[in-house]
């Protein structure tokens, strides 16, 4: 493994702080990113035990964004049309944003964060609050194998990929389909979106890296769709190598070609990226300093895990941002880890009391700009740091 980026000491990204805990010293870890020349995997170097991150206080709910709701709904329509599954397993079912589009008898959820698992269990969807493992796979598929296994934004959070794929291979029927969706490394590097790296995102996958892992488990990708979620993701359609029901589409060859052309198999690409990240930091700080000199009122918009990486790496706190707005009830009245900026209940932006908003949730730019069109019309601006820090509005 070759380390290529050091994002400094970081707290756990989703550990929002209560007021009474503000004075307690937070646990921090060194966030460094590395490239494995052998299998092309890009991963964080120091990992945090999963129980510290995914437990019954997990704050992120997929259903809270219209963009995500629509993305899952569109996908379910396609799944019903093309694959007509009779038994689905979802690994990382969160609050049920995908599950709820299927009949209860058709689908089983796996969600180790019990606060989230409860939300689907209460609606009578079978949901196991456990980490995905071979043991659990055996329990779920004792009587029949799954003809569809779905997992989005979950694989990148799991350290032991081998165990995951052994369990997937065990529980998938011979003609079954595995659909995985995770942020695309190509988009992350292209967009200088270094905030895709935080404690929970152990990996950001390229197709060439995923292909190497799948190979070991006799699985192969037969189609890839580029999606816009999380700043650019890939949705991989995967089958057992012995399954001849699906032809391998050109999309697979094309995506690999794009990645190789960009150099995702070469360390030099990552070293260049690292230089761009350092420049991005300087430029972002510079923007904040200029705005502060003008005595403008700056707030944050969307207290994301991604923001945690940016704020702590660039040492941005109350020196620049007064508070954040966020729609997630769990985050409201808490403080962002590390930077300790207060998160307030979301209110529509108003030029009378805000001049500029730092867009922590930049991956929802379109949805947010639509919501805040009056603020923008009145001259309000956003700071967006990807692909390069700038003011927009
Ligand atoms: P998310 O995109 O999942 O980012 P991360 O994985 O980095 O945490 O989180 C989006 C956050 O932004 C979430 O806390 C909700 C918030 N948000 C708003 O406050 N307003 C909005 O209009 C949208 C779309 C999101």
């Amino acid at each position: 493994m070759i380390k290529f980026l050091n994002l400094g000491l970081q707290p756990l990204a989703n550990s929002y702080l209560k007021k009474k805990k503000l004075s307690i010293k937070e646990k921090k870890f060194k966030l460094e990113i590395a490239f494995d020349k052998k299998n092309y995997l890009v991963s964080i170097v120091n990992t945090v035990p999963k129980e510290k991150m995914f437990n019954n206080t997990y704050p992120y709910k997929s259903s809270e964004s219209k963009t995500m709701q629509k993305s899952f709904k569109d996908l379910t329509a396609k799944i019903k049309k093309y694959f007509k599954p009779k038994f689905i397993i979802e690994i990382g079912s969160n609050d049920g944003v995908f599950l709820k589009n299927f009949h209860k008898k058709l689908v089983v959820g796996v969600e180790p964060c019990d606060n989230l698992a409860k939300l689907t269990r209460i609606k009578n969807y079978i949901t196991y609050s456990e980490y995905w493992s071979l043991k659990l796979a055996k329990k779920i598929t004792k009587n029949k194998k799954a003809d569809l296994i779905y997992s989005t934004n979950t694989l990148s959070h799991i350290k032991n990929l081998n165990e995951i794929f052994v369990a997937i291979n065990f529980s998938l029927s011979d003609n079954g389909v595995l659909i995985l969706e995770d942020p695309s490394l190509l988009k992350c590097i292209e967009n200088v979106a270094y905030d895709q790296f935080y404690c929970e995102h152990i990996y950001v996958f390229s197709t060439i890296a995923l292909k190497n892992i799948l190979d070991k488990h006799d699985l192969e990708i037969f189609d890839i769709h580029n999606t816009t979620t999380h700043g650019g993701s890939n949705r991989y359609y995967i089958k057992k190598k012995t399954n001849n029901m699906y032809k391998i589409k050109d999309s697979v060859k094309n995506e690999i070609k794009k990645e190789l052309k960009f150099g995702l198999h070469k360390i030099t690409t990552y070293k260049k990226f690292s230089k761009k990240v350092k420049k991005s930091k300087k430029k972002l700080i510079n923007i904040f300093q200029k705005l502060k000199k003008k005595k403008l009122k700056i707030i944050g918009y969307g207290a994301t895990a991604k923001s945690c990486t940016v704020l702590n790496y660039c040492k941005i706190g109350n020196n620049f941002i007064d508070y954040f707005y966020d729609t997630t009830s769990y985050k409201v009245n808490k403080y962002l880890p590390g930077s300790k900026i207060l998160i307030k209940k979301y209110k529509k932006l108003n030029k009378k009391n805000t001049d500029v908003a730092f867009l922590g949730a930049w991956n929802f730019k379109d949805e947010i700009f639509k919501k805040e069109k009056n603020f923008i019309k009145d001259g309000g601006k956003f700071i967006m740091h990807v692909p390069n820090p700038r003011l927009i509005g």
Side-chain angles (χ1 to χ4, degrees):
M1 279 212 307
I2 309 169
K3 289 181 196 173
F4 63 86
L5 180 62
N6 180 355
L7 293 169
L9 279 181
Q10 295 274 351
L12 297 193
N14 272 317
S15 293
Y16 298 88
L17 303 162
K18 287 186 183 153
K19 192 172 185 178
K20 60 179 183 212
K21 297 243 168 110
L22 275 180
S23 55
I24 299 173
K25 201 168 176 224
E26 292 170 274
K27 283 220 172 84
K28 299 210 173 156
F29 76 106
K30 209 170 173 187
L31 182 57
E32 292 175 298
I33 326 297
F35 172 64
D36 189 329
K37 266 203 315 196
K38 260 198 282 172
N39 56 18
Y40 306 144
L41 251 183
V42 166
S43 59
I44 64 173
V45 177
N46 304 302
T47 53
V48 173
K50 57 184 184 297
E51 295 78 8
K52 288 219 163 113
M53 299 185 285
F54 311 113
N55 47 44
N56 62 1
T57 61
Y58 196 66
Y60 178 69
K61 282 194 202 154
S62 308
S63 312
E64 291 201 352
S65 135
K66 281 193 187 137
T67 313
M68 293 306 278
Q69 294 246 19
K70 187 174 179 314
S71 160
F72 285 107
K73 203 162 176 203
D74 292 350
L75 174 65
T76 28
K78 277 190 203 156
I79 288 176
K80 284 178 188 170
K81 189 170 165 198
Y82 295 112
F83 302 119
K84 301 181 180 62
K86 295 198 176 57
F87 181 31
I88 305 168
I89 300 174
E90 186 183 10
I91 306 170
S93 50
N94 198 274
D95 62 352
V97 67
F98 171 80
L99 286 189
K100 68 170 188 202
N101 297 295
F102 293 93
H103 191 279
K104 297 180 210 10
K105 286 194 178 142
L106 283 185
V107 52
V108 164
V110 176
E111 177 47 69
C113 306
D114 198 40
N115 58 326
L116 298 171
K118 271 184 192 148
L119 301 176
T120 45
R121 227 181 277 128
I122 216 168
K123 292 183 185 147
N124 293 322
Y125 282 93
I126 297 175
T127 314
Y128 291 87
S129 359
E130 288 179 45
Y131 298 100
W132 176 248
S133 66
L134 183 59
K135 194 170 156 216
L136 181 61
K138 284 184 177 166
K139 187 156 76 182
I140 296 175
T141 56
K142 200 164 60 189
N143 298 321
K144 66 175 172 197
K145 302 265 175 167
D147 43 17
L148 192 112
I149 300 182
Y150 176 70
S151 187
T152 190
N153 296 318
T154 302
L155 191 65
S156 51
H157 297 61
I158 305 177
K159 188 172 179 184
N160 188 349
L161 294 174
N162 266 331
E163 180 177 2
I164 295 309
F165 282 107
V166 167
I168 285 177
N169 216 334
F170 176 86
S171 39
L172 190 66
S173 70
D174 289 346
N175 288 331
V177 171
L178 163 68
I179 303 179
L180 296 177
E181 182 169 337
D182 273 285
S184 142
L185 183 67
L186 180 62
K187 285 285 161 205
C188 163
I189 304 286
E190 267 178 352
N191 287 332
V192 198
Y194 61 90
D195 51 353
Q196 285 293 5
F197 296 104
Y198 51 91
C199 53
E200 290 177 16
H201 282 183
I202 298 174
Y203 306 101
V204 179
F205 293 107
S206 59
T207 308
I208 52 175
L210 185 64
K211 185 180 176 301
N212 281 334
I213 301 162
L214 294 171
D215 261 341
K216 282 196 223 149
H217 296 274
D218 294 322
L219 295 165
E220 63 187 351
I221 305 167
F222 65 92
D223 200 4
I224 301 178
H225 294 169
N226 302 132
T227 68
T228 52
T229 47
H230 288 291
S233 298
N234 281 335
R235 183 175 293 151
Y236 297 100
Y237 294 81
I238 296 159
K239 64 177 187 68
K240 291 189 172 175
K241 284 187 178 171
T242 48
N243 174 356
N244 295 319
M245 269 179 67
Y246 305 99
K247 238 182 80 191
I248 297 182
K249 298 220 173 135
D250 283 348
S251 58
V252 181
K253 195 172 66 191
N254 294 339
E255 190 65 27
I256 290 176
K257 221 170 158 182
K258 258 196 297 184
E259 291 185 359
L260 294 177
K261 191 168 172 215
F262 194 84
L264 290 191
H265 57 310
K266 290 190 286 199
I267 182 65
T268 46
T269 306
Y270 300 99
K271 289 199 166 148
K272 261 189 234 160
F273 168 72
S274 176
K275 278 190 190 145
K276 285 189 188 168
V277 172
K278 283 177 199 140
K279 270 193 197 152
S280 172
K281 173 181 179 172
K282 271 192 193 147
K283 205 163 167 196
L284 184 63
I285 295 172
N286 199 265
I287 291 175
F288 274 108
Q289 283 170 338
K290 278 190 178 151
L291 295 172
K292 266 286 148 193
K293 249 189 203 157
K294 290 188 193 162
K295 301 212 171 355
L296 295 181
K297 169 117 175 136
I298 312 170
I299 67 155
Y301 196 114
T304 57
K306 290 188 288 293
S307 314
C308 177
T309 295
V310 179
L311 300 175
N312 288 292
Y313 174 58
C314 300
K315 304 213 168 24
I316 293 166
N318 280 127
N319 49 345
F320 293 128
I321 297 178
D322 293 351
Y323 54 85
F324 263 76
Y325 272 150
D326 199 286
T327 49
T328 313
S329 48
Y330 176 86
K331 295 182 187 176
V332 172
N333 290 330
K334 295 201 174 82
Y335 294 77
L336 272 144
S339 63
K340 298 188 174 164
I341 304 172
L342 174 66
I343 304 163
K344 290 192 184 182
K345 188 172 175 203
Y346 164 73
K347 269 198 224 141
K348 251 189 187 350
L349 293 186
N350 188 337
K351 187 66 180 62
K352 281 191 190 131
N353 50 31
T354 306
D355 297 301
V356 182
F358 168 69
L359 198 53
W362 57 267
N363 46 319
F364 292 116
K365 174 177 163 267
D366 294 348
E367 183 176 338
I368 291 169
F369 273 36
K370 224 184 258 173
K371 248 195 325 204
E372 308 302 341
K373 60 179 187 296
N374 288 336
F375 170 70
I376 296 171
K377 208 172 70 202
D378 293 343
K381 299 271 184 234
F382 284 91
I383 302 173
M384 175 124 164
H385 70 284
V386 285
N388 58 302
R390 68 205 188 281
L391 277 176
I392 48 172

